[in-house]
Structures are given as structure tokens and as C-alpha cells.
Amino acid sequence: MKITVVGAGYVGLVSGACLAEMGNDVLCVDVDAGRIAMLNEGGMPIYEPGLKEVIARNVDAGRLHFTNDIERGVHFGTVQFIAVGTPPDEDGAADLQYVLAAARNIGRAMTDYKLVVDKSTVPVGTADRVRAAIAEELAARGVDIPFSVVSNPEFLKEGAAVEDFMRPDRIIVGAEDDRAVHLMSALYAPFQRNHDKLVVMDIRSAELTKYAANAMLATRISFMNELALLAERLGADVELVRKGIGADPRIGRHFLYAGCGYGGSCFPKDVKALARSAHESGLRLQVLEAVEAANERQKQVLAEKVVQHFGPDLSSRTIAVWGLSFKPDTDDMREAPSRVLIGDLLARGARVVAHDPVAQHEARRVFGPLERLAYADTPLAAIEGADALAIVTEWKAFRAPDFDRMKALMREAVIFDGRNILDPALAREAGFHYVPMGRAARTAHESPAR
Ligand SMILES: NC(=O)c1ccc[n+]([C@@H]2O[C@H](COP(=O)([O-])OP(=O)(O)OC[C@H]3O[C@@H](n4cnc5c(N)ncnc54)[C@H](O)[C@@H]3O)[C@@H](O)[C@H]2O)c1
């Protein structure tokens, strides 16, 4: 099939590359000329495990192309995926200007049937607006060309995006005409050879399904974060509670980790957008409002723990930060808890030395040059001479550090573990003052701190 993917970001690039991998002819279009130039020169604008290889393989095979020529993009694919950003506007609602601009471009240039696929995360009713925008452009041209609009929200996770796209749990298709359903089934057939994963529904339900999934996951995280705060006060260990409740199949083990707040390009904006949609329809989603408020608070907790230990004036302190991306295996720092922590530490006068395996270039762009913020190329270089270490992202490389080496390098042996990735017993036995999230209780096999 000939497919155009509009928007060559995390979702667009991964979708385009994986669709090409299945033998389709794919053209990725982006308005960002620098991004397209980089891709055409064999560079990668984002970090996503395995993506570089899939792109290279399909470019070499002549199945995957990149352009910033919008009209070429419209003419190329029978299927037109819209995978542009939907950032929050000032009210928290999803800003649809990029989606609608992409729709208008299609209406302005199409000359034959197009299947327009909303892959971006968009509020209920957006497909109607996309359809209206295309129809308006066709009417302005005085032409009548058939087209379909479907909703096909994406559920990939950054850090495992290629795997998720190649082996989806489910493929949601919101469609209202047979031609569209038929085309979407054919398009996704190679991704579901083992068993049927296509869930076909009406468009509005498909649009809502995406928000419901992210809102549910964010709710679990905020719930566990609040339980962690309570566990500290009550002398319990949230990690043990997590294991205790995760064993119940009705609850399940995923997404029960307490930490220093969720971030990224999806949960924060999607929770806000869903709450906003509800509000606009005259309903308050109180659970969701609480989920967001709890997360905003949680992002402050790590800095509060630093202040509790060192006092409010940190001007004589150097704090090392491990992890800048909002989660491991990505360089994405959108809404990352590290941004809040580093902002708080700098505001209190601290010097910060940060390390991240892949997000340092992004951090330099996000923070700009700041006198008291430096970067170190290795985890150990970051803690040299530091008064404390704060762990913000659970990269695998941080999980089993050499505590003795660390202690020798640091000025004071203090660790704030925002992701509970270290073994408290080992850290304390090595002489660290170790501060986890929600783990007040000592387990039976953990000896008291020395
Ligand atoms: N990132 C994720 O993990 C993820 C997962 C599932 C769904 N989503 C959703 O997918 C959508 C895209 O997210 P993303 O993270 O890939 O965004 P992104 O910001 O990484 O990429 C969006 C790209 O679209 C381009 N663009 C904007 N307007 C355009 C236009 N008119 N024509 C062509 N290109 C245009 C931008 O230049 C940018 O490169 C969002 O709605 C997001 O909520 C994201």
C-alpha cells in the first residue's frame, strides 16, 4: 500500500518505519525542514531503541522516504496518517491546530480517494472536524472527491515503540464506512497474523478509548504515589504493599511503582485534555482532577526531601542528578520530573551536575546555558565531590552501582532515590544515608543503618 505519514516525530517515524518494514511504500512528511534534512542524511532526530536500524533497512530497500514537500505527501499515499503533535493549549485542552492544518493540506491537494487516519491523540469529535476541514477545502476548489476519516489511536510506549508497533496488544479502529474498515484491516493484517487484534468501533468511542487508557494508567501511578506518602507516615513500605496488591489478578503488577511523578508527552497532557473535555460537556471528572493534582505535588517531593536533609539554603551544596528523560530508553524530557527537581534545586542556590545516558543534548536545549548546571558523561563523574545524589529516572545502568566507589567519590554519602531502584540494605550497609520514596519500614532481612 502507498502510505503517507504526516508528522515525523516519535509516533510518525515509528509508524512509518514499521509500516515500511511490512513491505508498504511509505513517505514521511514533516514541516520541520531540519528534521527532514537530518533523516535524508541518515541521521536520527530522536532516540528510540531499534528505530535507527528499521529506518536504515527500509530506506536502503527504497520503501521509506522523507520530505517536507506537503503536496507531494498528499499525492503519494492512498492512506494519509496524521501523526502531528497535539500539545495542551492554555486551558489544558488539546491544541488541534496542527491536526487541522494537516487535514486542510490534504483537502487542498488531493485528486483521488484518500483514507485519512487520525493517529494523533485527539479529543472526541476531532474526526468530525477533520472531515469538515477537508470538505471545506474541497468545496472551495469546487471538486467532489471521496474520502474517509478514521480514528486509529496509537498506544506505543516511548522506549519500546518499535516493539509495541510491531506487536500491538490491540489495534483500535474507529470507522463509519466499509471501505475504510476494509483498508484498515488490510493495512494491519501483517501485524496480527497470530490472532485478531483489530477492535472496530464507532469513531467517538475510539477517540475516547485512547484518553481512557492513559488516564487509567496515570491514575494508578498517582494512587501509588499517594500511598507512598502515607506509607512514610505510617511506617510501612510501599514496595511491599505493591507486591502484595499486584499479586491480585484483578489489580495486576504493572504501573504500580511509586516514584517522583509521571511526565512525558502523553500522560500529563492527556489527563488535562480529558478533564477539559469533560468540563466542556458539563461534567467534572473529580478522580482525574485529583490524579493531576497529586502528580504535580509528587514532582516536588524529591526536592522537599533534599531540603528536609540539608535545610532550605542549598547554596553551598552540589547535588548530582542521575536521569533527565521522563523515563528510561528515551531522550524525551517533555514534562519530566527532572525539570521540576533541577529547577527547585537551582532556585535554592544549589549547583547541579546531571548525567543521563541519552538525554543530555535535550537537557542542554531545555535548560539553555546555566551557570550552576553542568553535565557529566558518566554516572560516577556526576557524583564526584557531590553532597548528594538524586535518582530521577530508572535507567538500568543506575540499578547496581558500586557503592564503595561512590562513597569514596562523594563529599557526603547521601542518596535520594526517586524511583526506588536501589537496594536500601546495600546502600545503608555501604554507609549511605539512603532516602527512598515511601519506604519507611525496614524489611526483616535489612539491618539498621550504621
Ligand atoms: N510520543 C508518544 O509516546 C505517543 C504515544 C501515543 C500517541 N502519541 C500522540 O501522537 C501524536 C504525536 O506525538 P509525537 O510524540 O510523535 O509528537 P512529536 O512532537 O514528536 O512529532 C510531531 C511532528 O509533527 C510535525 N508537524 C506539525 N505540524 C505538521 C504539519 N502540518 N505537517 C507535517 N508535519 C507537522 C512536527 O514538526 C513534529 O516533527 C500526539 O497527539 C501524541 O499525543 C504520542
Side-chain angles (χ1 to χ4, degrees), residues 99-150:
V99 170
L100 295 175
R104 287 196 178 280
N105 288 338
I106 295 170
R108 256 178 231 135
M110 64 190 268
T111 52
D112 54 1
Y113 172 80
K114 299 291 175 194
L115 171 64
V116 180
V117 184
D118 286 345
K119 182 140 268 319
S120 300
T121 302
V122 288
V124 174
T126 301
D128 293 341
R129 295 182 64 185
V130 165
R131 195 180 296 112
I134 297 172
E136 244 177 70
E137 294 298 333
L138 291 175
R141 288 166 56 201
V143 293
D144 184 15
I145 306 169
F147 67 94
S148 312
V149 177
V150 302

Side-chain angles (χ1 to χ4, degrees), residues 21-143:
E21 182 82 348
M22 293 301 187
N24 295 293
D25 264 336
V26 179
L27 179 62
C28 291
V29 186
D30 204 293
V31 285
D32 183 340
R35 176 166 285 232
I36 293 299
M38 182 189 267
L39 286 161
N40 278 327
E41 283 156 20
M44 280 291 295
I46 55 167
Y47 175 81
E48 185 57 50
L51 181 59
K52 199 174 170 184
E53 293 73 13
V54 185
I55 288 183
R57 192 162 53 241
N58 286 282
V59 167
D60 286 349
R63 285 192 298 265
L64 181 59
H65 305 272
F66 306 101
T67 186
N68 58 356
D69 180 342
I70 305 275
E71 219 175 299
R72 184 178 155 214
V74 177
H75 290 149
F76 186 86
T78 304
V79 184
Q80 300 269 321
F81 275 96
I82 299 181
V84 299
T86 47
D89 67 14
E90 313 84 64
D91 303 340
D95 180 350
L96 292 178
Q97 62 169 309
Y98 306 105
V99 170
L100 295 175
R104 287 196 178 280
N105 288 338
I106 295 170
R108 256 178 231 135
M110 64 190 268
T111 52
D112 54 1
Y113 172 80
K114 299 291 175 194
L115 171 64
V116 180
V117 184
D118 286 345
K119 182 140 268 319
S120 300
T121 302
V122 288
V124 174
T126 301
D128 293 341
R129 295 182 64 185
V130 165
R131 195 180 296 112
I134 297 172
E136 244 177 70
E137 294 298 333
L138 291 175
R141 288 166 56 201
V143 293

Side-chain angles (χ1 to χ4, degrees), residues 6 9-11 30-31 84 86 120-121 154 158 265-266 269 334:
V6 185
Y10 287 89
V11 169
D30 204 293
V31 285
V84 299
T86 47
S120 300
T121 302
E154 182 50 56
E158 283 178 27
S265 67
C266 294
K269 88 170 167 57
R334 287 178 278 188

